Amino acid sequence: DLESYVSFSDSQAQQIIDFVEKYKDKEFVVHCLMGISRSAGIAIFINEILLPSFTTSYSQYNRLVYNKLRKVYFKNIYPEGIE
């Protein structure tokens, strides 16, 4: 049943955000076992929140993962939304 399949959930995003916030004064190595795009999306997100001046031209990242992390992160900061 494909309807019950979630490739990357809000709760997984929150776990990553919590981990990054807990260890934000440390260095990170991000990797995965099956490929490069999911880990790249996570790494770009981490760099953006910890190093706001960070920019990259790397384009081979998982946008679903990256966008979900941003959505959950900003929902935590602005629970009422941004007008």
Side-chain angles (χ1 to χ4, degrees), residues 35-62:
I36 61 168
S37 68
R38 185 176 300 217
S39 55
I42 293 168
I44 290 170
F45 169 77
I46 290 170
N47 277 306
E48 285 182 354
I49 63 170
L50 296 181
L51 304 167
S53 62
F54 172 80
T55 59
T56 183
S57 60
Y58 188 75
S59 62
Q60 302 301 313
Y61 63 94
N62 187 312

Side-chain angles (χ1 to χ4, degrees), residues 70-83:
R70 287 180 52 86
K71 181 190 101 175
V72 172
Y73 179 75
F74 286 110
K75 188 175 180 181
N76 290 339
I77 294 173
Y78 306 105
E80 301 299 321
I82 301 173
E83 293 187 27

Side-chain angles (χ1 to χ4, degrees), residues 4-15:
S4 63
Y5 178 74
V6 177
S7 60
F8 189 71
S9 69
D10 285 7
S11 118
Q12 290 169 315
Q14 188 62 59
Q15 288 175 353

Side-chain angles (χ1 to χ4, degrees), residues 23-38:
Y23 298 104
K24 64 184 170 192
D25 58 336
K26 305 290 183 192
E27 294 181 5
F28 292 91
V29 174
V30 181
H31 63 87
C32 69
L33 297 174
M34 300 305 293
I36 61 168
S37 68
R38 185 176 300 217

